[in-house]
Amino acid sequence: MKATLSISLSTTMYFRSSLVSLLFLSGALASNVLDLTPDNFDDAIGKGKPGLVEFFAPWCGHCKNLAPTYERLADAFAHVKDKVVIAKIDADGAGKPLGQKYGVTGYPTLKWFDASGEPTPYEGGRELDDLAKFITEKAGVKSNIKPPPPPTVEILDTHTFDEVVFNPDHDTIVTFTAPWCGHCKSLKPIYEEVAKDFLNEKNVRVITASTTS
């Protein structure tokens, strides 16, 4: 009897643990990006609601790089999902007929579908802010993306450089950057920390000067 009771308790604990794991997993996998296939495409697109659709392939490296940004984009417009669709199609799998229908030849391909279902290629930037701005302009809805905090690093151009850098009232630390420079992007968070360290030092200025300004 004791052995039977022990097995029952162990089994109960196992199922409870499994249930908790499944609930956690389902929450972790929840996504605001709508998965489209030929079976549900016409129900979501062209029904009076515009949307951005990504045609992707699971093996595509660029698609994998875009995926977290695209998820964040969908999250940013989740509060207005009744007004705009953020969706994706596996154009090398179940959605291959849709990829062929809309002339997809490379991955990822982004297309904007207006409220009537008419597609146009998206040719803008693929950073979160670029995509969100595009959707806001097209659909007239705002994202819930919070603006970044004001920079602690001062940004100068050719019009303000001499006035600030050669001011005898303070010392100046300057980094010269370019928007396309990978090393500059890597340095940015470190340089921001340096600027925070000197934020209350009135006789020290931490500056970034763009070489493309």
Side-chain angles (χ1 to χ4, degrees):
M1 183 67 180
K2 289 182 179 179
T4 303
L5 179 60
S6 176
I7 292 172
S8 299
L9 287 173
S10 298
T11 303
T12 301
M13 291 178 67
Y14 171 80
F15 279 116
R16 284 181 178 175
S17 176
S18 299
L19 180 60
V20 170
S21 298
L22 286 171
L23 289 173
F24 175 81
L25 184 61
S26 64
L29 295 178
S31 172
N32 286 309
V33 179
L34 180 63
D35 282 300
L36 295 180
T37 68
D39 294 331
N40 65 358
F41 183 85
D42 291 336
D43 294 330
I45 302 298
K47 298 295 184 181
K49 185 166 58 174
L52 185 67
V53 178
E54 177 201 5
F55 294 81
F56 76 98
W59 46 262
C60 166
H62 294 300
C63 301
K64 292 176 182 178
N65 290 336
L66 178 62
T69 299
Y70 205 66
E71 287 287 345
R72 290 172 61 199
L73 180 71
D75 292 343
F77 286 94
H79 64 293
V80 287
K81 60 173 57 178
D82 59 324
K83 295 181 174 64
V84 66
V85 176
I86 311 294
K88 64 181 180 180
I89 296 171
D90 181 356
D92 195 44
K96 196 165 189 174
L98 292 171
Q100 294 171 339
K101 177 180 179 179
Y102 291 105
V104 174
T105 57
Y107 308 110
T109 291
L110 295 171
K111 289 183 181 288
W112 175 258
F113 289 81
D114 65 19
S116 67
E118 188 67 26
T120 54
Y122 171 78
E123 298 175 342
R126 294 185 179 180
E127 297 294 332
L128 179 61
D129 289 342
D130 298 323
L131 293 163
K133 182 180 178 181
F134 173 82
I135 290 174
T136 296
E137 291 174 351
K138 286 289 189 178
V141 293
K142 293 184 178 181
S143 73
N144 61 11
I145 300 172
K146 295 180 180 179
T152 51
V153 177
E154 295 182 66
I155 301 174
L156 301 183
D157 56 25
T158 54
H159 304 291
T160 55
F161 185 87
D162 288 353
E163 179 184 351
V164 174
V165 173
F166 298 116
N167 188 325
D169 295 333
H170 57 252
D171 295 322
T172 308
I173 304 171
V174 184
T175 180
F176 296 86
T177 65
W180 45 262
C181 168
H183 296 299
C184 302
K185 293 177 182 178
S186 299
L187 176 64
K188 184 176 179 180
I190 299 172
Y191 203 63
E192 286 282 352
E193 289 300 318
V194 172
K196 289 178 184 177
D197 289 341
F198 286 95
L199 194 59
N200 296 319
E201 299 289 339
K202 294 183 179 180
N203 62 337
V204 177
R205 305 280 286 274
V206 180
I207 307 295
T208 289
S210 175
T211 57
T212 59
S213 298

Short mmCIF file of all heavy atoms in Angstrom, two decimals, residues 92-123:
data_model
loop_
_atom_site.label_atom_id
_atom_site.label_comp_id
_atom_site.label_asym_id
_atom_site.label_seq_id
_atom_site.Cartn_x
_atom_site.Cartn_y
_atom_site.Cartn_z
N ASP A 92 9.17 28.96 -48.32
CA ASP A 92 9.88 27.79 -48.82
C ASP A 92 9.27 26.52 -48.25
O ASP A 92 9.82 25.44 -48.41
CB ASP A 92 11.36 27.87 -48.46
CG ASP A 92 12.20 26.88 -49.26
OD1 ASP A 92 11.99 26.77 -50.48
OD2 ASP A 92 13.07 26.22 -48.66
N GLY A 93 8.12 26.69 -47.56
CA GLY A 93 7.43 25.56 -46.95
C GLY A 93 5.96 25.60 -47.31
O GLY A 93 5.60 25.65 -48.49
N ALA A 94 5.12 25.63 -46.28
CA ALA A 94 3.67 25.60 -46.51
C ALA A 94 3.19 26.80 -47.32
O ALA A 94 2.19 26.71 -48.04
CB ALA A 94 2.94 25.54 -45.17
N GLY A 95 3.89 27.92 -47.20
CA GLY A 95 3.47 29.13 -47.90
C GLY A 95 4.10 29.32 -49.26
O GLY A 95 4.02 30.41 -49.84
N LYS A 96 4.73 28.29 -49.80
CA LYS A 96 5.43 28.42 -51.08
C LYS A 96 4.52 28.92 -52.21
O LYS A 96 4.94 29.77 -53.01
CB LYS A 96 6.07 27.09 -51.46
CG LYS A 96 7.13 27.22 -52.55
CD LYS A 96 7.97 25.96 -52.64
CE LYS A 96 9.15 26.16 -53.57
NZ LYS A 96 10.07 25.00 -53.58
N PRO A 97 3.27 28.44 -52.31
CA PRO A 97 2.39 28.96 -53.36
C PRO A 97 2.16 30.47 -53.25
O PRO A 97 2.03 31.15 -54.27
CB PRO A 97 1.08 28.19 -53.13
CG PRO A 97 1.50 26.93 -52.45
CD PRO A 97 2.64 27.33 -51.56
N LEU A 98 2.14 30.99 -52.03
CA LEU A 98 1.96 32.44 -51.85
C LEU A 98 3.21 33.19 -52.28
O LEU A 98 3.12 34.27 -52.88
CB LEU A 98 1.64 32.74 -50.38
CG LEU A 98 0.28 32.24 -49.89
CD1 LEU A 98 0.18 32.40 -48.37
CD2 LEU A 98 -0.86 33.00 -50.57
N GLY A 99 4.38 32.63 -51.99
CA GLY A 99 5.62 33.24 -52.43
C GLY A 99 5.67 33.32 -53.95
O GLY A 99 6.08 34.33 -54.53
N GLN A 100 5.25 32.25 -54.60
CA GLN A 100 5.23 32.23 -56.07
C GLN A 100 4.21 33.21 -56.61
O GLN A 100 4.47 33.92 -57.59
CB GLN A 100 4.93 30.80 -56.54
CG GLN A 100 6.03 29.80 -56.21
CD GLN A 100 5.64 28.37 -56.49
OE1 GLN A 100 4.44 28.03 -56.58
NE2 GLN A 100 6.63 27.49 -56.63
N LYS A 101 3.05 33.28 -55.97
CA LYS A 101 1.99 34.18 -56.42
C LYS A 101 2.43 35.63 -56.39
O LYS A 101 2.11 36.41 -57.30
CB LYS A 101 0.75 33.99 -55.54
CG LYS A 101 -0.40 34.93 -55.89
CD LYS A 101 -1.60 34.69 -54.98
CE LYS A 101 -2.73 35.66 -55.31
NZ LYS A 101 -3.92 35.42 -54.44
N TYR A 102 3.20 36.00 -55.35
CA TYR A 102 3.60 37.39 -55.19
C TYR A 102 5.04 37.66 -55.64
O TYR A 102 5.63 38.68 -55.28
CB TYR A 102 3.38 37.82 -53.74
CG TYR A 102 1.91 37.89 -53.39
CD1 TYR A 102 1.31 36.91 -52.62
CD2 TYR A 102 1.11 38.92 -53.88
CE1 TYR A 102 -0.05 36.95 -52.32
CE2 TYR A 102 -0.24 38.99 -53.59
CZ TYR A 102 -0.82 37.99 -52.82
OH TYR A 102 -2.17 38.05 -52.54
N GLY A 103 5.58 36.76 -56.42
CA GLY A 103 6.86 37.00 -57.08
C GLY A 103 8.05 37.08 -56.16
O GLY A 103 9.02 37.81 -56.43
N VAL A 104 8.04 36.32 -55.08
CA VAL A 104 9.15 36.32 -54.13
C VAL A 104 10.30 35.47 -54.69
O VAL A 104 10.12 34.29 -54.98
CB VAL A 104 8.70 35.78 -52.76
CG1 VAL A 104 9.90 35.64 -51.82
CG2 VAL A 104 7.65 36.70 -52.16
N THR A 105 11.46 36.09 -54.82
CA THR A 105 12.63 35.37 -55.36
C THR A 105 13.80 35.36 -54.39
O THR A 105 14.82 34.73 -54.65
CB THR A 105 13.08 36.02 -56.68
OG1 THR A 105 13.37 37.40 -56.46
CG2 THR A 105 12.00 35.89 -57.75
N GLY A 106 13.70 36.06 -53.28
CA GLY A 106 14.77 36.10 -52.29
C GLY A 106 14.18 36.26 -50.90
O GLY A 106 13.02 36.65 -50.74
N TYR A 107 15.00 35.96 -49.91
CA TYR A 107 14.53 36.00 -48.52
C TYR A 107 15.46 36.84 -47.65
O TYR A 107 16.67 36.82 -47.88
CB TYR A 107 14.45 34.58 -47.95
CG TYR A 107 13.68 33.61 -48.81
CD1 TYR A 107 14.35 32.59 -49.48
CD2 TYR A 107 12.31 33.71 -48.95
CE1 TYR A 107 13.66 31.69 -50.27
CE2 TYR A 107 11.61 32.82 -49.74
CZ TYR A 107 12.28 31.81 -50.40
OH TYR A 107 11.59 30.92 -51.19
N PRO A 108 14.91 37.57 -46.68
CA PRO A 108 13.48 37.79 -46.51
C PRO A 108 12.97 38.87 -47.46
O PRO A 108 13.71 39.79 -47.80
CB PRO A 108 13.38 38.27 -45.06
CG PRO A 108 14.68 38.97 -44.82
CD PRO A 108 15.71 38.22 -45.63
N THR A 109 11.75 38.73 -47.90
CA THR A 109 11.08 39.75 -48.70
C THR A 109 9.93 40.31 -47.88
O THR A 109 9.13 39.54 -47.33
CB THR A 109 10.54 39.17 -50.02
OG1 THR A 109 11.64 38.82 -50.86
CG2 THR A 109 9.66 40.18 -50.74
N LEU A 110 9.87 41.62 -47.78
CA LEU A 110 8.79 42.28 -47.04
C LEU A 110 7.87 42.98 -48.02
O LEU A 110 8.33 43.71 -48.90
CB LEU A 110 9.36 43.29 -46.04
CG LEU A 110 10.21 42.72 -44.90
CD1 LEU A 110 10.89 43.83 -44.13
CD2 LEU A 110 9.35 41.89 -43.96
N LYS A 111 6.59 42.77 -47.84
CA LYS A 111 5.59 43.43 -48.68
C LYS A 111 4.51 44.05 -47.81
O LYS A 111 4.09 43.46 -46.82
CB LYS A 111 4.97 42.44 -49.67
CG LYS A 111 5.92 41.99 -50.79
CD LYS A 111 5.22 41.08 -51.78
CE LYS A 111 6.17 40.62 -52.88
NZ LYS A 111 6.50 41.71 -53.83
N TRP A 112 4.08 45.24 -48.23
CA TRP A 112 2.97 45.91 -47.55
C TRP A 112 1.70 45.65 -48.34
O TRP A 112 1.66 45.87 -49.55
CB TRP A 112 3.23 47.41 -47.46
CG TRP A 112 2.08 48.17 -46.88
CD1 TRP A 112 1.16 48.92 -47.55
CD2 TRP A 112 1.72 48.26 -45.50
NE1 TRP A 112 0.25 49.46 -46.69
CE2 TRP A 112 0.57 49.08 -45.41
CE3 TRP A 112 2.26 47.73 -44.33
CZ2 TRP A 112 -0.05 49.38 -44.21
CZ3 TRP A 112 1.65 48.03 -43.13
CH2 TRP A 112 0.51 48.84 -43.06
N PHE A 113 0.69 45.15 -47.66
CA PHE A 113 -0.61 44.92 -48.28
C PHE A 113 -1.58 45.97 -47.75
O PHE A 113 -1.76 46.09 -46.53
CB PHE A 113 -1.12 43.52 -47.94
CG PHE A 113 -0.36 42.41 -48.64
CD1 PHE A 113 0.86 41.97 -48.14
CD2 PHE A 113 -0.86 41.83 -49.79
CE1 PHE A 113 1.56 40.95 -48.78
CE2 PHE A 113 -0.17 40.81 -50.44
CZ PHE A 113 1.05 40.38 -49.93
N ASP A 114 -2.19 46.72 -48.67
CA ASP A 114 -3.14 47.73 -48.22
C ASP A 114 -4.46 47.07 -47.80
O ASP A 114 -4.58 45.83 -47.84
CB ASP A 114 -3.36 48.82 -49.28
CG ASP A 114 -4.00 48.30 -50.56
OD1 ASP A 114 -4.62 47.20 -50.53
OD2 ASP A 114 -3.90 48.98 -51.60
N ALA A 115 -5.42 47.87 -47.42
CA ALA A 115 -6.67 47.33 -46.89
C ALA A 115 -7.43 46.47 -47.89
O ALA A 115 -8.22 45.60 -47.51
CB ALA A 115 -7.56 48.47 -46.40
N SER A 116 -7.16 46.69 -49.18
CA SER A 116 -7.84 45.89 -50.21
C SER A 116 -7.03 44.65 -50.60
O SER A 116 -7.48 43.86 -51.43
CB SER A 116 -8.09 46.75 -51.45
OG SER A 116 -6.86 47.11 -52.07
N GLY A 117 -5.83 44.52 -50.03
CA GLY A 117 -5.00 43.36 -50.33
C GLY A 117 -4.01 43.59 -51.45
O GLY A 117 -3.34 42.65 -51.90
N GLU A 118 -3.86 44.84 -51.90
CA GLU A 118 -2.93 45.16 -52.97
C GLU A 118 -1.51 45.27 -52.39
O GLU A 118 -1.27 46.07 -51.49
CB GLU A 118 -3.32 46.47 -53.64
CG GLU A 118 -2.53 46.79 -54.90
CD GLU A 118 -2.80 45.83 -56.04
OE1 GLU A 118 -3.90 45.24 -56.09
OE2 GLU A 118 -1.90 45.67 -56.89
N PRO A 119 -0.54 44.49 -52.92
CA PRO A 119 0.81 44.51 -52.34
C PRO A 119 1.73 45.52 -53.00
O PRO A 119 1.62 45.81 -54.19
CB PRO A 119 1.30 43.09 -52.61
CG PRO A 119 0.65 42.73 -53.91
CD PRO A 119 -0.70 43.42 -53.92
N THR A 120 2.65 46.06 -52.20
CA THR A 120 3.76 46.86 -52.71
C THR A 120 5.01 46.44 -51.94
O THR A 120 4.94 46.13 -50.75
CB THR A 120 3.53 48.38 -52.50
OG1 THR A 120 3.25 48.63 -51.12
CG2 THR A 120 2.38 48.87 -53.35
N PRO A 121 6.16 46.42 -52.61
CA PRO A 121 7.40 46.01 -51.93
C PRO A 121 7.79 47.01 -50.85
O PRO A 121 7.64 48.22 -51.03
CB PRO A 121 8.44 45.98 -53.05
CG PRO A 121 7.67 46.00 -54.32
CD PRO A 121 6.39 46.71 -54.04
N TYR A 122 8.28 46.50 -49.73
CA TYR A 122 8.87 47.36 -48.71
C TYR A 122 10.36 47.43 -48.99
O TYR A 122 11.04 46.41 -49.03
CB TYR A 122 8.62 46.81 -47.30
CG TYR A 122 9.40 47.58 -46.24
CD1 TYR A 122 8.96 48.82 -45.80
CD2 TYR A 122 10.59 47.07 -45.72
CE1 TYR A 122 9.68 49.54 -44.86
CE2 TYR A 122 11.31 47.78 -44.78
CZ TYR A 122 10.85 49.01 -44.35
OH TYR A 122 11.57 49.73 -43.42
N GLU A 123 10.87 48.64 -49.17
CA GLU A 123 12.27 48.81 -49.54
C GLU A 123 13.03 49.70 -48.56
O GLU A 123 14.11 50.20 -48.87
CB GLU A 123 12.36 49.39 -50.96
CG GLU A 123 11.74 48.46 -52.02
CD GLU A 123 11.72 49.06 -53.41
OE1 GLU A 123 11.85 50.30 -53.50
OE2 GLU A 123 11.57 48.30 -54.38
#
